[in-house]
Amino acid sequence: MDRLDETESVFALANGWVGWRATLDEGEPYGMPGSYLNGFHEQHELTYPEDGYAFPERSDTVISAPNAALVRLWVDGERLDLSTGTVRRHHRELDLRAGVLRRETEWISPGGRGVRIRSTRLVSLPRRPVAAVDWAVEPLDGPVRVRVCADLLANERVPERSGDPRAASVIQDPLTAETGRHDGLDGVLVHRTGRSGQRVAVAVAHRVEKPDATATATELTDDRFRLALDGTLRPGERIRVTKFAAYECAPVDGTPADDLADLVVAEAEAARADGFDALLDAQRAALDAAWATADVELDGDPELEQAVRFGVFHLLQAGRADADHTIPAKGLTGNGYDGHVLWDTEGYVLPVLTYLAPELARSALRWRHAHLPEARERAAELRLTGATFPWRTLSGRECSGYWPAGSAGLHVNADIADAVLRYVAATGDTAFLAGCGAELLIETARLWHGYGHFDDAGVFHLTGVTGPDEYSALVDDNVFTNLMARRNLRGAADAAQSCPEVAARLGVEPAEVAGWRAAADAVHVPYDRKRGVHAQSAGFTDRPEWDFAGTDADDYPLLLHFPYLELYRKQVVKQADLVLAMLRSPSDFTADEKARNVAYYEARTVRDSSLSASAQAILAAEVGHLDLAYDLFAETALQDLADLGDKTADGLHLASLAGAWLVVAQGFGGLRDDRGVLSFEPRLPRRITRLAFHLRWHGHRLRVTLTPDEARYELPDATGDDTVELWHHGEQLRVTGDSPVARPMPPLPTPGPEPASPPGRRPARR
Amino acid sequence: MDRLDETESVFALANGWVGWRATLDEGEPYGMPGSYLNGFHEQHELTYPEDGYAFPERSDTVISAPNAALVRLWVDGERLDLSTGTVRRHHRELDLRAGVLRRETEWISPGGRGVRIRSTRLVSLPRRPVAAVDWAVEPLDGPVRVRVCADLLANERVPERSGDPRAASVIQDPLTAETGRHDGLDGVLVHRTGRSGQRVAVAVAHRVEKPDATATATELTDDRFRLALDGTLRPGERIRVTKFAAYECAPVDGTPADDLADLVVAEAEAARADGFDALLDAQRAALDAAWATADVELDGDPELEQAVRFGVFHLLQAGRADADHTIPAKGLTGNGYDGHVLWDTEGYVLPVLTYLAPELARSALRWRHAHLPEARERAAELRLTGATFPWRTLSGRECSGYWPAGSAGLHVNADIADAVLRYVAATGDTAFLAGCGAELLIETARLWHGYGHFDDAGVFHLTGVTGPDEYSALVDDNVFTNLMARRNLRGAADAAQSCPEVAARLGVEPAEVAGWRAAADAVHVPYDRKRGVHAQSAGFTDRPEWDFAGTDADDYPLLLHFPYLELYRKQVVKQADLVLAMLRSPSDFTADEKARNVAYYEARTVRDSSLSASAQAILAAEVGHLDLAYDLFAETALQDLADLGDKTADGLHLASLAGAWLVVAQGFGGLRDDRGVLSFEPRLPRRITRLAFHLRWHGHRLRVTLTPDEARYELPDATGDDTVELWHHGEQLRVTGDSPVARPMPPLPTPGPEPASPPGRRPARR
């Protein structure tokens, strides 16, 4: 019970559109119940002790749709609540192949009556509006009188966590009933939000197995539809309720409430007509297809193998291919960060999905494209050029309430551009480029070109930004931002030339393109010659050092114990920043520079952000520190399963889970895609005897298998003519359907002493 | 009526402890009524969209004490309200010599009845708790029936101005009645605040002249004591009410409510016993004494002469000599900035009061000293050393709700130290140094020493601070801050040696003192060799230029039309910063550097802060641009009289008013006090045919008289042995009681072309 809200996140089910946290079927005890729909949110006001120009006045907060997963149970008049009575057995199992959450509980009521409950939940991957629960109760020994209530519940009570009363007020009772109806055993509720102007409809269709004498009743109120079953179960008898739920939402001024109700009723009834087994089969089929690419084999460390698969499973759950959709930082697994989408998506999640399920990456980028109008408006409001995407949002509008670590993080624009370029390079999807990608590239390039300036020597600078590391803010020439902006500018210039009709529509003149290229070519990359390392941003290496010796173990995370005043001005790094720049732009750094930079920044990076470990792992691997890399790998992979940040209760850290796959592919596989060229420099950690993963490249499924002796590249699905060109440790290879290619693993160089982490901050040794 | 709330500020009366805004006697129409007591405030919560470590959780807001100035009038049943009927005459006069506000109004009621009202208000300078109104009404023509209500009113309604509902809720009905009583014509009310734990008592004692037939009644409710007079006035008759009010406040757990009531009743009755004329005489005597030093004669520009005297009058009203007390940025003339004290006090107001009324400067510094405990606590909370004084406060605790332009302005600590050093240098008050000053110097020096760092070359840096210019933030090596910190460090080192018992009590070791001196000697002062100017902070002159050509006239003030993101990273200056550094630390800049710096920063300074013009004027004068200096002088002197910033309604800009005297003394008189040496380099603007001002130096009153030909220094009150040493344009002079010294004014150098201001931002030509 202690880890109740954590397990609600870990066992959450989602299909990119509907998300069910794994609150127990009976609803209580709960940690933080949540049934989310992608983009379904409420607004609340933001006020500031001292207001400033263009500080956002409103924020979006994810709110729960009506909860269709509930099945409450009374045993001889006593309500099933695992915090009472005796729990003889309680087992939950998230089946990553089947895509279901199974549960089996044996419970002895305080009055001494025993029951066994079994349930299986799914949120249908192929059938977007549909989620279902198959639930059954049976007596353990003697006969028991039971009452089973299958509820559809709106405005479910949730605990208050926020210190801000305005945010809290949004989460309590956010929905107003519009209509509801029932028909036989089935019911539907339609609600609307108060301010965001959204309408949500949820229908439940039931299939019931029960002893004949069981009484059946339904009850409909504004916020609840209930199917109640009352009867006595003798040994061998059971009550089984299968709930087929369907969700839809629409703008209040869109589909009328009754029509929306009809829609979900039809979906729920259709699902029931097909039956639960059909849903299970379709779920399995969808996952079989996904796992063919997504699976990772990691011989030698079954725990981390499972952790990587767990992470990939949640990434697949977070994506949705058939519409413009967003992937929030927590997916649909919790209301952390108010359910906002952050740069985590383009910076961490899409680099994985681009290779494992590129159609999911595409739909997330299409969502960004759909919100270009708000990004253009925001740029105009900030008196900038082009488009400025929000640091955090659900609706497309900026919701960042502390601009130095929010809106100033302009790199989110380059992260989006980077994700576009990677997606197009990996898929060759020129239709997407012409339809969405080029416009995203061009409008973000316009931001950079207008924002930066050339100095007297003709060097191009980007000043006053915040890079990935949030223990620095408002810095000049952040290397990550500058190199990403360069990629953005060049990508836009290329796109303007390859998509002339888009360029013409956006009024791009050749001189503008030339300006982008000139800025890109002249971008400043600060380097500290004296210390022989790159400065994360101008002057960083001249800052005073952090007093690590005087920092206690319980002073971490530092942002809860030190003011920004101290953090911002010292050489202390929350999360990979210069190191991430080396990952994104590998050819801008020599091997020696990388090694020195890794050592320098490892010593100053405290990993108070879960975004950090994966990038550090990948670069540590690249420069040969495979033990350190492996320990950092474990940290990112176990972020949520071990709740390392004590934040899993609020939802999973998708970027950290994505990071686990990235360490496998980019750290140990040495995968790089700089400038659209696929290359590998595999280097296997000692503990791993065999590592296999896959990725999609221009429609082909490439399988990479690594052993200490050999790297093997193959196209298992391909015919003879299909070809993928790639590089292996500097050697160009051509892999075809006929001919897998194997190459020896080069001996690992002796890397020298392991870089020191800040005292007490080295990742746990594995 | 359009300028109602502005005149409430301009005509405000105060004695440093009680402040009455000049709301009309009859209470309505009003702009923003206010009766303030120094330090009397309420608290409210601060919440942030995204919280951060050590962000202040509470703020102080000045609230009105019960209003004792009201005299309401009904004429034949119609209430006197200047927005109705016909105003035949309305005249108000702030008498700067007498220290009273006189008013005469002739009003014809909507029903056609005419009355003349005369009133005289004062807030007693020598008698701290006391304020009084002498009010009379008489018929203009025929007989009129009148009702006169002399009210004492708590929780007077005030208009809402703040966008923050929490702050607004504090201002409406902030007081809870504790007790009230009446005795004959007199009454008293005692109230308490809800959260700040303060109790306020106000008594009114009345003297009434009236026709015999006039009916008299009193009425007491929780929030109001009323003396009502009803009768008919024939030509030649009048009703005259003289209200003697007394104010006191105390902590709720201090003096009991009844005792506090007794106290103010006794004060009010004593004032009545002495009579209004006695109050007038004492007021005049107090001001005569003050004006002997404070007066400025400015032949050639009577308007600005009056403006300077107006400003000095309000500075004298803001001070209080007999207790530790604060001088908020608006004095007691309005609730702008929530009534907070800012660095305006030590940076602008005390440099004037130190010379004109040093006992007032001392009491303001004693108030800082009284709040050293909170400053030490704040330093510990911020994990800094020594003491960190709040950016804005009433209670001593930090109330800044936007830290980059608030708490990061650490220079406030050096401003306090600077004010201590100036006060001690100008007065020789070693008792103050030993009692308060040394401790202030030492604890602030500890802040700087711990905050800064030595680089590898042994240079001392202060990084990540915000200097005076609020269009930059979190900069490194702000010249103003660094030079002020140096003065602070050296001043502390000297004080530790001259006050060994203080040093011992604070545990100052010789090594610590040596550390302060070492840091001071090594302080970095960024200089841009290429451009030949000082960088306001490291890298400032390399920043992109502001696009002034693309900035519209109505884009000012810029902070209301551009995000900090743009302002902070560009070469645009809100207010004098490097220029102020040249004023504070003149010997650190050569004359050529000053001239170049003035030109460089004039071109980039938009004066969106009223703190700016005076410093710019003084330096423009120093480098010979006397026309520009004069126009800037007019801007600072007329800030409130002409409401140049459209903010006078919220209270007067004491720093700007102080700036007017500073321009006279430091700009045209060339007064400097660097390192405690009194020097003058007078240079008279063309328009001024004679300029005379005074200042106190070690107890002597020095009179300085400037004409185009001659500068004359004399000690009008001194006997033969009294001596003041000073420098005149580099020549050391000794002025004694016997022998005034006159020296020729040197010819003004030809300064070259006037520095360009940003387009459209040059001060108005005078």
Side-chain angles (χ1 to χ4, degrees):
Chain A
M1 290 302 117
D2 290 346
R3 300 178 63 195
L4 199 59
D5 44 13
E6 195 185 318
T7 60
E8 288 172 355
S9 301
V10 166
F11 291 143
L13 295 174
N15 65 10
W17 192 56
V18 177
W20 273 2
R21 276 173 68 82
T23 308
L24 296 168
D25 301 312
E26 56 273 20
E28 290 181 348
Y30 59 77
M32 173 62 81
S35 315
Y36 306 119
L37 298 184
N38 196 309
F40 185 66
H41 70 278
E42 183 51 309
Q43 292 177 352
H44 62 93
E45 282 183 13
L46 298 179
T47 62
Y48 304 82
E50 298 182 28
D51 207 355
Y53 174 80
F55 284 10
E57 294 171 6
R58 281 181 298 280
S59 185
D60 310 323
T61 299
V62 67
I63 53 173
S64 274
N67 183 357
L70 293 166
V71 185
R72 303 194 194 272
L73 173 67
W74 283 258
V75 176
D76 274 12
E78 291 179 305
R79 180 166 172 168
L80 170 65
D81 181 332
L82 298 193
S83 58
T84 67
T86 306
V87 179
R88 218 163 69 179
R89 170 175 162 78
H90 180 57
H91 179 76
R92 288 202 289 176
E93 175 182 286
L94 180 67
D95 187 326
L96 307 182
R97 287 179 190 273
V100 299
L101 175 64
R102 293 192 199 91
R103 178 255 182 114
E104 186 175 328
T105 297
E106 293 175 11
W107 183 68
I108 315 297
S109 72
R113 301 293 176 170
V115 290
R116 175 182 297 111
I117 302 115
R118 289 202 182 89
S119 75
T120 304
R121 280 185 185 189
L122 65 78
V123 175
S124 176
L125 289 164
R127 208 153 170 168
R128 296 305 168 181
V130 172
V133 194
D134 185 34
W135 183 96
V137 60
E138 60 190 21
L140 279 180
D141 316 302
V144 290
R145 186 166 54 81
V146 298
R147 175 176 172 79
V148 175
C149 291
D151 285 352
L152 168 62
L153 179 64
N155 290 318
E156 190 173 12
R157 210 178 56 195
V158 292
E160 280 193 28
R161 283 203 183 139
S162 162
D164 183 342
R166 290 157 312 197
S169 72
V170 162
I171 293 174
Q172 299 299 337
D173 295 328
L175 299 177
T176 304
E178 289 200 313
T179 186
R181 52 187 205 239
H182 59 119
D183 178 13
L185 301 185
D186 309 334
V188 59
L189 295 176
V190 183
H191 285 74
R192 57 177 291 172
T193 61
R195 300 180 55 179
S196 67
Q198 292 180 307
R199 170 173 288 143
V200 61
V202 189
V204 282
H206 295 104
R207 171 166 291 174
V208 175
E209 290 175 30
K210 60 184 178 57
D212 290 343
T214 308
T216 303
T218 60
E219 175 194 316
L220 178 69
T221 63
D222 271 1
D223 281 352
R224 192 174 72 184
F225 170 72
R226 166 168 286 183
L227 167 63
L229 305 166
D230 284 277
T232 299
L233 294 176
R234 287 174 192 72
E237 290 181 334
R238 66 172 181 172
I239 288 178
R240 177 183 177 192
V241 180
T242 313
K243 301 179 75 175
F244 299 87
Y247 289 81
E248 196 55 76
C249 76
V252 164
D253 53 9
T255 315
D258 285 329
D259 294 358
L260 210 62
D262 292 345
L263 207 69
V264 291
V265 166
E267 287 285 353
E269 288 180 352
R272 176 175 55 193
D274 294 343
F276 194 72
D277 286 345
L279 291 180
L280 288 176
D281 291 345
Q283 188 84 337
R284 176 69 185 233
L287 280 168
D288 282 349
W291 281 121
T293 303
D295 192 32
V296 170
E297 295 159 79
L298 199 68
D299 293 356
D301 195 333
E303 184 191 18
L304 290 192
E305 180 180 65
Q306 190 198 31
V308 174
R309 288 169 168 170
F310 167 82
V312 168
F313 175 78
H314 276 292
L315 296 182
L316 295 172
Q317 288 206 122
R320 185 184 179 202
D322 62 344
D324 307 346
H325 104 307
T326 174
I327 302 177
K330 305 286 187 186
L332 299 173
T333 69
N335 61 5
Y337 292 122
D338 286 337
H340 287 158
V341 57
L342 303 167
W343 75 288
D344 302 38
T345 302
E346 285 81 7
Y348 289 81
V349 174
L350 297 197
V352 178
L353 291 181
T354 293
Y355 292 121
L356 299 188
E359 64 284 1
L360 304 186
R362 184 185 58 210
S363 77
L365 291 170
R366 289 180 57 90
W367 182 85
R368 288 290 193 187
H369 182 262
H371 290 290
L372 249 177
E374 292 95 327
R376 285 196 186 96
E377 275 169 36
R378 178 67 174 164
E381 184 183 25
L382 294 174
R383 310 203 56 157
L384 304 176
T385 48
T388 310
F389 282 92
W391 183 250
R392 47 190 300 175
T393 188
L394 268 176
S395 64
R397 281 186 309 270
E398 178 64 89
C399 295
S400 163
Y402 173 64
W403 78 271
S407 304
L410 292 182
H411 67 82
V412 63
N413 297 287
D415 300 323
I416 292 169
D418 175 65
V420 167
L421 293 169
R422 179 177 299 103
Y423 169 78
V424 173
T427 60
D429 186 350
T430 52
F432 170 80
L433 184 66
C436 295
E439 194 169 358
L440 285 167
L441 293 168
I442 287 168
E443 290 293 48
T444 47
R446 284 174 162 168
L447 168 71
W448 297 119
H449 191 261
Y451 189 84
H453 76 285
F454 291 89
D455 68 16
D456 298 346
V459 178
F460 189 72
H461 300 274
L462 296 168
T463 59
V465 302
T466 300
D469 168 29
E470 292 174 4
Y471 286 169
S472 288
L474 310 183
V475 298
D476 295 339
D477 289 323
N478 172 256
V479 172
F480 177 86
T481 304
N482 283 17
L483 291 176
M484 293 287 281
R486 185 172 73 186
R487 175 160 156 85
N488 194 160
L489 289 160
R490 287 178 175 159
D494 294 345
Q497 282 155 348
S498 66
C499 302
E501 70 296 341
V502 179
R505 179 162 54 80
L506 298 175
V508 179
E509 301 285 344
E512 186 175 12
V513 174
W516 297 339
R517 291 205 192 278
D521 292 346
V523 153
H524 184 52
V525 179
Y527 185 74
D528 180 342
R529 289 184 191 286
K530 195 171 71 184
R531 296 176 183 86
V533 295
H534 284 81
Q536 175 177 300
S537 54
F540 181 85
T541 50
D542 293 326
R543 290 188 196 168
E545 297 282 1
W546 188 261
D547 177 18
F548 284 112
T551 306
D552 294 337
D554 53 9
D555 280 337
Y556 294 92
L558 298 177
L559 82 170
L560 297 184
H561 302 93
F562 290 87
Y564 291 127
L565 182 71
E566 282 292 278
L567 294 169
Y568 284 177
R569 69 193 189 90
K570 293 190 171 168
Q571 289 196 54
V572 59
V573 179
K574 185 182 181 193
Q575 63 205 90
D577 186 313
L578 191 279
V579 165
L580 193 62
M582 296 193 290
L583 173 59
R584 288 279 187 278
S585 205
S587 56
D588 285 302
F589 302 84
T590 68
D592 283 351
E593 286 170 356
K594 284 177 183 167
R596 289 195 303 269
N597 288 342
V598 164
Y600 191 87
Y601 287 96
E602 180 63 31
R604 289 158 180 84
T605 303
V606 296
R607 296 196 316 289
D608 281 347
S609 162
S610 65
L611 300 185
S612 195
S614 63
Q616 287 175 260
I618 293 164
L619 264 292
E622 179 170 350
V623 303
H625 295 294
L626 283 159
D627 289 346
L628 177 62
Y630 201 74
D631 296 339
L632 288 160
F633 169 53
E635 185 173 291
T636 194
L638 297 173
Q639 181 71 34
D640 287 315
L641 286 172
D643 196 10
L644 297 179
D646 201 23
K647 286 278 195 185
T648 296
D650 299 337
L652 300 178
H653 299 75
L654 288 194
S656 194
L657 300 179
W661 188 88
L662 291 172
V663 179
V664 166
Q666 299 182 323
F668 307 140
L671 164 67
R672 293 292 183 278
D673 53 10
D674 194 27
R675 300 170 199 184
V677 175
L678 184 63
S679 67
F680 297 88
E681 295 191 0
R683 40 188 97 71
L684 219 49
R686 286 177 301 171
R687 176 139 175 192
I688 301 303
T689 55
R690 195 180 64 94
L691 172 61
F693 63 96
H694 314 76
L695 54 93
R696 303 198 76 83
W697 186 259
H698 286 259
H700 303 297
R701 185 166 67 102
L702 175 71
R703 178 178 172 84
V704 180
T705 311
L706 308 174
T707 65
D709 301 325
E710 188 183 81
R712 187 177 174 83
Y713 304 94
E714 54 197 317
L715 302 177
D717 312 324
T719 61
D721 290 342
D722 294 328
T723 304
V724 167
E725 291 194 351
L726 56 84
W727 294 72
H728 167 89
H729 278 293
E731 179 190 2
Q732 190 167 14
L733 304 180
R734 169 182 294 252
V735 185
T736 67
D738 294 333
S739 53
V741 180
R743 283 291 182 280
M745 296 281 271
L748 291 176
T750 314
E754 181 177 288
S757 307
R761 302 303 289 172
R762 193 191 181 284
R765 289 190 191 275
R766 194 161 171 85
Chain B
M1 290 301 118
D2 290 348
R3 300 178 62 194
L4 200 60
D5 43 13
E6 194 186 317
T7 60
E8 288 173 355
S9 300
V10 166
F11 292 142
L13 295 173
N15 64 10
W17 192 56
V18 177
W20 273 3
R21 274 172 72 80
T23 309
L24 295 168
D25 301 312
E26 56 272 21
E28 290 181 348
Y30 58 77
M32 173 63 80
S35 315
Y36 306 119
L37 298 185
N38 197 310
F40 184 65
H41 70 278
E42 182 52 307
Q43 293 178 351
H44 62 93
E45 282 182 14
L46 299 179
T47 63
Y48 303 82
E50 298 181 29
D51 207 356
Y53 174 81
F55 285 10
E57 294 172 7
R58 280 181 299 280
S59 185
D60 311 323
T61 298
V62 67
I63 53 173
S64 274
N67 183 356
L70 292 167
V71 185
R72 303 193 196 273
L73 173 67
W74 282 258
V75 176
D76 274 11
E78 291 180 304
R79 179 167 173 168
L80 170 65
D81 181 330
L82 297 193
S83 58
T84 68
T86 305
V87 179
R88 219 163 69 179
R89 170 177 163 77
H90 180 58
H91 178 77
R92 289 203 286 177
E93 176 183 285
L94 181 67
D95 187 327
L96 307 182
R97 286 180 192 271
V100 299
L101 175 64
R102 294 192 199 92
R103 178 252 183 117
E104 185 175 329
T105 297
E106 294 175 10
W107 184 67
I108 317 295
S109 73
R113 300 293 176 169
V115 292
R116 176 182 296 113
I117 302 115
R118 287 203 184 88
S119 76
T120 303
R121 281 184 186 190
L122 65 77
V123 175
S124 175
L125 288 164
R127 208 151 170 169
R128 297 304 169 183
V130 171
V133 193
D134 184 34
W135 183 97
V137 59
E138 60 189 21
L140 279 180
D141 317 301
V144 290
R145 188 167 51 82
V146 299
R147 175 175 172 80
V148 175
C149 291
D151 285 352
L152 169 63
L153 179 64
N155 291 318
E156 190 174 12
R157 210 177 58 196
V158 292
E160 281 193 27
R161 284 204 182 137
S162 162
D164 183 342
R166 290 158 310 202
S169 70
V170 162
I171 293 174
Q172 299 300 337
D173 295 328
L175 299 178
T176 304
E178 290 201 314
T179 185
R181 53 187 205 238
H182 60 118
D183 178 12
L185 302 185
D186 309 333
V188 59
L189 295 176
V190 183
H191 284 74
R192 58 177 291 174
T193 61
R195 300 181 55 179
S196 67
Q198 291 180 308
R199 170 174 289 144
V200 60
V202 188
V204 281
H206 295 103
R207 171 168 293 175
V208 176
E209 291 175 30
K210 58 183 179 59
D212 289 344
T214 309
T216 303
T218 58
E219 176 194 316
L220 178 69
T221 64
D222 271 1
D223 281 353
R224 191 175 73 185
F225 170 71
R226 165 169 285 185
L227 165 64
L229 306 166
D230 284 277
T232 298
L233 293 176
R234 285 173 195 73
E237 291 182 336
R238 65 171 182 174
I239 290 178
R240 177 183 176 191
V241 180
T242 312
K243 301 179 75 175
F244 299 86
Y247 288 80
E248 196 55 78
C249 78
V252 165
D253 53 9
T255 315
D258 285 328
D259 294 358
L260 211 61
D262 292 345
L263 207 68
V264 290
V265 166
E267 287 284 352
E269 289 179 352
R272 176 175 55 192
D274 294 342
F276 195 72
D277 287 346
L279 291 180
L280 288 176
D281 292 346
Q283 188 84 337
R284 175 70 184 231
L287 279 168
D288 282 349
W291 280 121
T293 303
D295 192 32
V296 170
E297 293 158 80
L298 198 68
D299 292 358
D301 196 332
E303 185 191 15
L304 291 192
E305 180 181 64
Q306 190 196 31
V308 174
R309 288 169 169 170
F310 167 82
V312 168
F313 176 77
H314 276 292
L315 296 182
L316 295 172
Q317 287 207 121
R320 186 184 179 201
D322 62 342
D324 306 346
H325 104 308
T326 172
I327 302 177
K330 306 284 187 186
L332 299 174
T333 69
N335 61 7
Y337 293 123
D338 287 337
H340 287 158
V341 58
L342 303 167
W343 74 288
D344 302 39
T345 302
E346 285 82 6
Y348 290 81
V349 175
L350 297 198
V352 178
L353 291 180
T354 293
Y355 292 121
L356 299 188
E359 64 284 1
L360 304 186
R362 182 186 59 210
S363 78
L365 291 170
R366 288 180 57 89
W367 182 84
R368 288 289 193 188
H369 182 262
H371 291 291
L372 249 177
E374 293 95 326
R376 286 197 184 96
E377 276 170 35
R378 178 67 176 164
E381 185 183 24
L382 294 174
R383 310 201 57 154
L384 303 176
T385 47
T388 309
F389 282 93
W391 183 250
R392 47 189 300 173
T393 189
L394 269 175
S395 64
R397 282 186 308 270
E398 178 64 270
C399 295
S400 163
Y402 174 63
W403 78 272
S407 304
L410 292 182
H411 67 81
V412 63
N413 297 287
D415 300 323
I416 293 169
D418 176 64
V420 167
L421 293 169
R422 179 176 301 104
Y423 170 78
V424 173
T427 60
D429 186 351
T430 52
F432 170 79
L433 185 66
C436 294
E439 194 169 358
L440 284 168
L441 292 168
I442 287 168
E443 291 293 46
T444 48
R446 283 173 162 167
L447 167 70
W448 297 119
H449 191 261
Y451 189 83
H453 76 285
F454 291 90
D455 68 16
D456 298 345
V459 179
F460 188 71
H461 300 275
L462 296 169
T463 59
V465 303
T466 299
D469 167 28
E470 292 175 4
Y471 286 170
S472 289
L474 311 183
V475 299
D476 296 340
D477 289 323
N478 172 256
V479 172
F480 177 86
T481 305
N482 283 16
L483 291 177
M484 293 287 281
R486 184 172 72 187
R487 175 160 156 84
N488 194 160
L489 289 159
R490 288 178 176 159
D494 294 344
Q497 281 154 347
S498 65
C499 303
E501 69 296 342
V502 178
R505 179 163 52 81
L506 298 175
V508 179
E509 301 285 344
E512 187 174 13
V513 174
W516 297 340
R517 292 204 191 276
D521 292 346
V523 153
H524 184 53
V525 178
Y527 184 74
D528 180 341
R529 288 185 191 285
K530 197 171 69 181
R531 295 177 183 86
V533 295
H534 284 81
Q536 176 178 301
S537 55
F540 181 85
T541 50
D542 293 327
R543 290 190 195 167
E545 296 281 2
W546 187 260
D547 177 19
F548 285 113
T551 306
D552 295 337
D554 53 8
D555 279 337
Y556 295 92
L558 298 178
L559 82 168
L560 297 184
H561 303 93
F562 291 87
Y564 291 127
L565 182 71
E566 283 290 279
L567 294 169
Y568 284 177
R569 69 194 189 87
K570 292 188 172 169
Q571 289 196 55
V572 58
V573 180
K574 185 181 180 194
Q575 64 205 89
D577 187 313
L578 191 277
V579 165
L580 193 62
M582 295 193 291
L583 173 58
R584 287 278 187 279
S585 204
S587 57
D588 285 303
F589 303 85
T590 67
D592 283 351
E593 286 170 356
K594 284 177 184 168
R596 289 195 304 269
N597 287 342
V598 163
Y600 192 87
Y601 288 96
E602 179 64 30
R604 289 158 181 83
T605 302
V606 296
R607 296 195 317 289
D608 282 348
S609 162
S610 65
L611 300 185
S612 196
S614 62
Q616 287 175 261
I618 294 164
L619 264 292
E622 178 169 352
V623 303
H625 294 294
L626 283 160
D627 290 345
L628 177 62
Y630 201 72
D631 296 339
L632 288 160
F633 169 52
E635 185 174 291
T636 195
L638 297 173
Q639 180 71 34
D640 287 315
L641 287 172
D643 195 11
L644 297 179
D646 201 24
K647 285 277 194 185
T648 296
D650 299 338
L652 300 179
H653 298 77
L654 289 194
S656 193
L657 300 178
W661 189 88
L662 291 172
V663 179
V664 166
Q666 299 183 323
F668 307 140
L671 164 67
R672 294 292 184 278
D673 54 9
D674 194 26
R675 301 171 200 183
V677 175
L678 184 63
S679 67
F680 297 87
E681 296 192 357
R683 40 190 98 71
L684 218 49
R686 286 177 301 169
R687 176 142 176 191
I688 300 303
T689 54
R690 194 180 65 94
L691 171 61
F693 64 95
H694 314 76
L695 54 92
R696 301 197 77 82
W697 186 260
H698 287 259
H700 302 299
R701 184 166 68 101
L702 176 71
R703 177 176 173 85
V704 180
T705 311
L706 307 175
T707 64
D709 302 325
E710 189 184 83
R712 187 177 174 83
Y713 304 93
E714 54 196 316
L715 302 178
D717 312 326
T719 61
D721 290 345
D722 294 327
T723 304
V724 166
E725 292 194 350
L726 56 84
W727 294 72
H728 166 87
H729 279 293
E731 178 190 1
Q732 191 167 13
L733 304 180
R734 170 182 293 253
V735 185
T736 67
D738 294 333
S739 53
V741 180
R743 282 293 182 277
M745 295 281 272
L748 290 176
T750 315
E754 180 177 290
S757 307
R761 302 303 290 172
R762 192 189 182 285
R765 288 190 193 274
R766 194 161 171 85

